[in-house]
Each structure stands twice: as structure tokens, then as C-alpha cells.
Amino acid sequence: MLKTLLSQVKEYKLPSILTPLCMLGEVICEMIIPVLMARIVDIGIYGQNMDYIFKTGGMMIVIAILGLLAGLGGAYYGSKASTGFAKNLRKAMFDNIQTFSFSNIDKFSTSGLVTRLTTDVTNIQNAYMMTLRMAMRAPSSMIVALVMSFIISPRLASIYFIAVLFLSVIIVFVMNRASKYFKEVFEKYDALNESVQENVSAIRVVKAYVREDYENDKFKKAARNIYNMFVKAEMNVVYMSPLMTGTVYACILLISWFGAHMIVGGELSTGNLMSLLTYCMNILMSLMFLAVIFVMLTMASASGKRIAEVIDEKADLTNPENPVAQVKDGSISFENVDFAYDRTSDEPVLKNINLEIKSGETIGIIGGTGSAKSSLVNLISRLYDVTKGTVKVGDVDVREYDMETLRDQVSVVLQKNVLFSGTILDNLRWGNKDATEEECKRACQMACADEFIERMPDGYNTVIEQGGTNVSGGQRQRLCIARALLKKPKILILDDSTSAVDTATDARIRKAFAEEIPGTTKLIIAQRISSVQNCDRIIVMDDGQVNGFGTHEELLKTNDIYREVYESQTGASGDADFDRPSA
């Protein structure tokens, strides 16, 4: 974990080195001042030597200024190093997330990734700054103060030493008890973020079903869980403060008592006693800082493990050593393909799939919910890898292609249509960042999106709100189809992408495809027979297997599932549905 995290310090190594050096300089200045103060008392005041007092006082002012400058330098470089480190951690996680396959993404919840990119990184940032500044300052201050105390009076310094050992044992014991709670609390943060994200993204549904009170209770429960975990952790940590305070006052009383006797006996000067009391405060304050550092490091350790999990996660899908950089055509073949989302599963989602699709064909795919239609097409653009068998595009195994090349030529309009914040043109150019406005308009005409875009006040410069909430479901689908067409792919996959479009518009879109992109292989997943009956051939999926493959007329004669659904949807007979077994 540490190796993964520290590898992201990168260009902030110099500030990370300068910060502890500045803090060390500040400590040295602070440790010199009590010595000079003792000399002022013993030599200047008792010796009534005003020149010595002014000279030594001037030295103290200069050293104090140097200490102040060192402290400011430590604060500046520490802030620069910690914020830069946090920036690199976020970038490393985000960059790696972009390489994830769908199976990698399935391992992490969206809310979990958000927590890691925000709360967890903030914890690491705070702990890193505290470590750079206080992890050098506190131990060095304590060690130097102990050494100086032993030089002045080994007998009195032994009091500090015993106190330090006692408090060190207490700190280790308390931190071990608190660490398990800090680890659990960040898992509770995931649940809280999930509650917020789900509520905000589905706020219209919440209001439509008048579920505000239920959502409020759900959020309060998640927030209460975090509160309870933090209380348990803090209840362990809180005992350190009175113990440390009691130890500090006990040390001061003992040093004052024994020191007074030693002054009377001539074994110690008044100035040295003042120095010892100052060092006492330095030592014990350093211990308190170390306790705070341990608390932050305990919290940061839990966060660090979660961040390292994301950075160290290796994409399941990678390019081969010498990838094929060109897709010859849009032909597709499945050869004895099995597929399971969980590699250890005994029951695959797709079983023994064998298909041959020619370049330029229009293929319809129908089947009941859960029949693995989407799983089938996801293998073509290598969003997942097959468990067994081979999927070929252009007579080449998809695993041999450069993935960017393959996905540029296999354009997919997924079931869940997503638009991004920005203008309509910005969204369309996700398909081709260099597309001209005329090319965008042409793609929209093919997708029958131009008719509603031109009615908007700003036309193609209309701003789409986050998630596309200011356009209807059908409009969103048509914009996503236009975006996919701008890639000018060799294979176009529409995964139930016209379900929110009326039948007349659906027919116009299919007609435009047939006339404008005849050379592109088109795979259309649909629930309506009318959306696929004019396709060159139709695949009927059932329970992860190909139940039938042929033209509309052939399937009516040979396939019971297809015939029953056709009769149901055209009103010929019966009340069959894809999700109901045939009679």
C-alpha cells in the first residue's frame, strides 16, 4: 500500500523533503531559546550584567525570527506537497478507472469510488501534511529536549523519561483499539454516499411516489451509523487527553519539588530549572502531537488501503503484444462461445453460441428479459471477454485487436442512454470530436433527432442539463443514436435503443439506416416485432442460447417463440409475451 501511495508524490518530492527540514530548523531554534533564557537569568540578572542581557536578548530575537521563518517555510512546503500529493492520487485513480473493463467496474460501487476520490483522499492529504510537519517536529523536539534535559540534570530528566515511556504505552494501546473503528467508518461513508446519489439521481421517482419520508429515514440511518462509529473510535482516543494532561502536571510538580531542593543544595541554578520546565512542556506537547499523528495515520491507513485497491486494480482487458490496428469489415462470427460474468460460476450466461453474420447485414435480436441479448452484443466490442470460444470481427479474434481501434469501428448505443452536461453539439461530438456542424446535422437527420432539435430556442447549441433531464426519453435515445452514427462505424449495435420512440419514428430510423449506411452491419435489439421483422435475419434468444436464427418468414414457420410473440403483438391470437413460456 505505502509503495503504491508514495509513488504518486512524483513532482512534489522536493517540497516533501524541504518541509521536515524546515520543521527541524524550527525545533533547533526553539531548543536554543531556553538555554539562552537560562543564561540571562544566571549570568545577566544575578550578575547584574545589562550588556549581557541585551546581547543575549538580541540573539533570542534573531533565533525566534529564524524559527518563525522556518515554521512558515514548513507550512508553505507542507501545504504544497500534501495538496499536490492529493491531486496525483485523484488523477491516478481516475486514470485507472478509465482503463477498467465492465467486469472491473462491477467490483466497485459508484458510491464507493466517489468516497475514495473525495473523503479518502482528503484523509490521506491531511495525514501526509501532518506527517511531513509534525512527524519530524514532534520526535525531534522531544529527543532534543530530552538530550538537553539530561545535559542540565540527569536526575530530573529521568522524570521525563519515565513519563514518555508511560504515555507511549498508553498511545499504542489506545490506537490499536481505535483503528478497527476507523476502518469500518469509511465503509459506512460508502453507504451514505450511495443513499445521496440514489436519491438525487432518482428524485423525480421519489416525489412521484411520495417517498421523501422514507428517503429521509434512510439517510438518517446511514448518517447515524457513521456517527456511532466515530463516537466509538473517539471514546477510545478521548482518554489520552486527561492522561497526558495529568502526566504533564505531575512532571511539573515533581521537577519543581526536586528542583527547588537542588537549588537550595547548590546542585542546580534557577535558570536551569526554568529551562527544565520549558523542556518538560516541549517533551509532553510533542507526545500529544504524536498521539494526534497516530490518530490521523490510523484513519489514513484505512483510507490508503481503499485508494491503493483502485490504483492497483489491473484491467481485465488489455491489448495484445502486437495488436491489429485495422478492422477489415463488419462481419461477425461466434464460434462455440460460452460466457459468464463470474468466472467461477458453474452456469454460464451464454451457452454454446454459434453465429455467422455477413458484413452489411441488418440483424434483429429478440428475446425475453434475462435471455442474455445485451450480454451477446457486449462481446462484439470486447466490453467483456468470452469464457470459452471465439468472437471474430472482420475474420479476426476481437482479443487480437487494439481495443481503441475495435471500439471505434463497433459503435454501441447501450440500453441506458446517457447524455453529458454541455450543448447538443458537444454531446454529438463524443462520437467524433472533429465532426463539423453539417456532419452532426446529417447524423441527427438519420436518427430523426433534427425535428425536435430545430424546435428548441437555441437549436444545436441548446444546453443539455446533467443526465439529459431536460429532454424526453425518446429524444435522449435519438441523440445517442446520432452520436453513435458520427463514428461512421463498420458495426452499429442498438441495444433496445428505440424503446421510447413511437413506431412511426422507429420505422423512419430503420429506413434511414437501410438507405444511408447499407455497408454497416446493424444489430438491433428490440422487444417489438415491428422493429426487427424487416431485418435481413433475426436471432431469437432464450435462456442464454440461440433458439432460432433466420428471416421473419422462416421464423414464423419454424420457431414457436417467435410465432407466438408475433401473433400476440399483431393481435392475431393469444396473449403471449417474451417473458412467458409458450403454450
Side-chain angles (χ1 to χ4, degrees):
M1 178 190 75
L2 275 177
K3 185 179 178 182
T4 299
L5 297 179
L6 293 178
S7 66
Q8 299 305 318
V9 176
K10 294 180 180 178
E11 69 269 31
Y12 297 99
K13 287 178 183 174
L14 182 59
S16 298
I17 294 169
L18 290 175
T19 300
L21 290 178
C22 287
M23 301 314 297
L24 183 60
E26 186 183 24
V27 167
I28 291 169
C29 291
E30 286 182 357
M31 294 301 107
I32 293 172
I33 286 175
V35 175
L36 296 176
M37 188 169 61
R39 289 183 179 178
I40 286 176
V41 173
D42 294 338
I43 300 173
I45 295 175
Y46 284 124
Q48 297 182 350
N49 187 340
M50 292 301 294
D51 287 340
Y52 186 83
I53 290 173
F54 284 125
K55 182 180 177 182
T56 308
M59 289 176 62
M60 287 176 68
I61 291 170
V62 172
I63 291 170
I65 291 171
L66 290 173
L68 175 64
L69 293 173
L72 289 173
Y76 170 75
Y77 289 118
S79 298
K80 187 174 181 179
S82 60
T83 52
F85 180 43
K87 178 200 73 175
N88 286 346
L89 284 175
R90 287 192 181 96
K91 186 175 185 303
M93 278 196 288
F94 191 82
D95 288 349
N96 202 38
I97 289 168
Q98 302 311 302
T99 69
F100 285 179
S101 67
F102 280 21
S103 55
N104 291 117
I105 294 169
D106 293 341
K107 294 180 184 178
F108 302 96
S109 67
T110 304
S111 57
L113 290 174
V114 170
T115 305
R116 292 168 208 242
L117 283 161
T118 51
T119 305
D120 286 327
V121 172
T122 301
N123 286 334
I124 294 291
Q125 176 182 339
N126 293 336
Y128 190 63
M129 182 165 66
M130 183 65 79
T131 302
L132 290 178
R133 296 184 65 194
M134 293 304 163
M136 173 60 77
R137 177 189 169 85
S140 58
S141 179
M142 186 171 65
I143 292 166
V144 172
L146 274 171
V147 170
M148 297 297 288
S149 299
F150 272 100
I151 290 171
I152 294 170
S153 173
R155 181 181 167 189
L156 292 179
S158 62
I159 295 172
Y160 303 156
F161 190 69
I162 293 168
V164 168
L165 288 177
F166 169 72
L167 290 177
S168 297
V169 171
I170 295 297
I171 289 171
V172 171
F173 175 74
V174 170
M175 287 304 100
N176 281 337
R177 283 177 60 87
S179 60
K180 63 177 182 179
Y181 296 115
F182 286 124
K183 181 180 178 182
E184 291 177 24
V185 80
F186 295 109
E187 294 173 2
K188 303 295 182 185
Y189 267 121
D190 288 351
L192 182 72
N193 283 340
E194 184 177 0
S195 175
V196 173
Q197 180 190 10
E198 190 173 59
N199 178 272
V200 173
S201 61
I203 191 67
R204 289 169 175 78
V205 178
V206 172
K207 290 190 174 297
Y209 284 86
V210 197
R211 298 284 281 179
E212 291 91 343
D213 290 341
Y214 171 79
E215 288 295 317
N216 284 336
D217 291 340
K218 184 178 172 184
F219 179 84
K220 283 178 184 176
K221 184 179 178 182
R224 174 65 63 176
N225 286 335
I226 293 176
Y227 166 80
N228 290 335
M229 294 307 299
F230 263 123
V231 167
K232 287 179 182 177
E234 296 295 341
M235 284 296 289
N236 284 277
V237 175
V238 77
Y239 295 123
M240 288 195 300
S241 182
L243 281 171
M244 286 189 167
T245 304
T247 305
V248 168
Y249 287 130
C251 286
I252 291 172
L253 286 171
L254 288 170
I255 290 166
S256 299
W257 173 262
F258 290 112
H261 282 76
M262 291 174 73
I263 290 172
V264 172
E267 298 176 55
L268 190 72
S269 69
T270 304
N272 282 337
L273 178 59
M274 290 176 60
S275 296
L276 283 169
L277 289 171
T278 304
Y279 288 136
C280 171
M281 293 302 296
N282 279 331
I283 290 168
L284 296 171
M285 286 301 293
S286 296
L287 266 176
M288 292 182 78
F289 277 127
L290 281 173
V292 173
I293 290 170
F294 277 120
V295 171
M296 295 195 73
L297 287 178
T298 303
M299 293 174 64
S301 175
S303 293
K305 288 174 184 175
R306 287 158 53 84
I307 291 169
E309 281 177 358
V310 178
I311 295 175
D312 290 337
E313 178 74 13
K314 300 298 181 187
D316 291 342
L317 307 182
T318 55
N319 280 336
E321 213 169 295
N322 297 300
V324 177
Q326 188 174 1
V327 179
K328 183 180 70 174
D329 56 42
S331 60
I332 306 165
S333 69
F334 286 76
E335 299 174 2
N336 304 313
V337 168
D338 284 4
F339 169 70
Y341 290 102
D342 182 359
R343 298 277 171 168
T344 61
S345 174
D346 294 330
E347 186 67 23
V349 176
L350 290 168
K351 293 160 274 190
N352 194 32
I353 305 296
N354 287 280
L355 292 168
E356 287 291 338
I357 299 169
K358 298 173 186 175
S359 182
E361 273 193 300
T362 300
I363 302 295
I365 304 175
I366 63 171
T369 304
S371 60
K373 303 184 297 296
S374 297
S375 300
L376 181 76
V377 297
N378 282 341
L379 300 178
I380 298 170
S381 55
R382 206 187 170 201
L383 297 177
Y384 292 94
D385 265 346
V386 297
T387 307
K388 177 185 172 185
T390 305
V391 177
K392 291 183 178 180
V393 170
D395 293 328
V396 175
D397 191 326
V398 292
R399 290 168 291 195
E400 295 178 18
Y401 280 112
D402 171 73
M403 282 194 289
E404 189 174 331
T405 300
L406 176 66
R407 290 173 186 171
D408 269 341
Q409 294 301 320
V410 182
S411 196
V412 184
V413 184
L414 298 170
Q415 267 182 322
K416 188 175 180 181
N417 298 284
V418 178
L419 295 175
F420 298 88
S421 301
T423 65
I424 288 176
L425 280 175
D426 292 336
N427 273 276
L428 292 172
R429 285 177 177 143
W430 273 68
N432 178 3
K433 62 182 179 180
D434 299 318
T436 64
E437 190 167 338
E438 286 303 315
E439 288 175 320
C440 291
K441 288 180 178 179
R442 182 64 186 145
C444 287
Q445 287 169 3
M446 291 169 62
C448 295
D450 59 318
E451 55 190 41
F452 72 83
I453 295 174
E454 289 169 359
R455 290 198 302 268
M456 291 179 167
D458 297 319
Y460 286 83
N461 292 310
T462 299
V463 175
I464 298 292
E465 294 176 7
Q466 186 177 12
T469 55
N470 59 330
V471 291
S472 70
Q475 290 171 341
R476 202 157 48 236
Q477 286 185 337
R478 283 179 276 175
L479 286 172
C480 290
I481 292 170
R483 182 173 64 189
L485 291 171
L486 277 172
K487 292 177 76 171
K488 299 177 181 175
K490 288 188 168 65
I491 298 172
L492 175 64
I493 299 171
L494 303 180
D495 188 353
D496 207 13
S497 304
T498 57
S499 57
V501 173
D502 61 86
T503 53
T505 304
D506 185 15
R508 291 206 308 274
I509 292 172
R510 285 184 281 108
K511 182 182 177 184
F513 286 172
E515 293 174 355
E516 302 292 338
I517 50 172
T520 299
T521 305
K522 297 166 282 291
L523 278 70
I524 302 171
I525 297 177
Q527 295 293 334
R528 294 190 298 235
I529 293 288
S530 60
S531 296
V532 298
Q533 69 180 42
N534 293 321
C535 292
D536 297 321
R537 288 187 290 172
I538 302 163
I539 301 170
V540 180
M541 296 294 298
D542 182 42
D543 193 26
Q545 295 178 304
V546 175
N547 185 270
F549 187 28
T551 64
H552 171 69
E553 290 76 16
E554 289 171 348
L555 291 173
L556 281 176
K557 295 176 183 176
T558 61
N559 191 273
D560 292 338
I561 294 176
Y562 186 84
R563 183 172 57 253
E564 188 171 349
V565 174
Y566 172 76
E567 290 172 351
S568 160
Q569 292 186 3
T570 58
S573 67
D575 59 350
D577 188 274
F578 277 121
D579 295 324
R580 295 176 62 184
S582 57

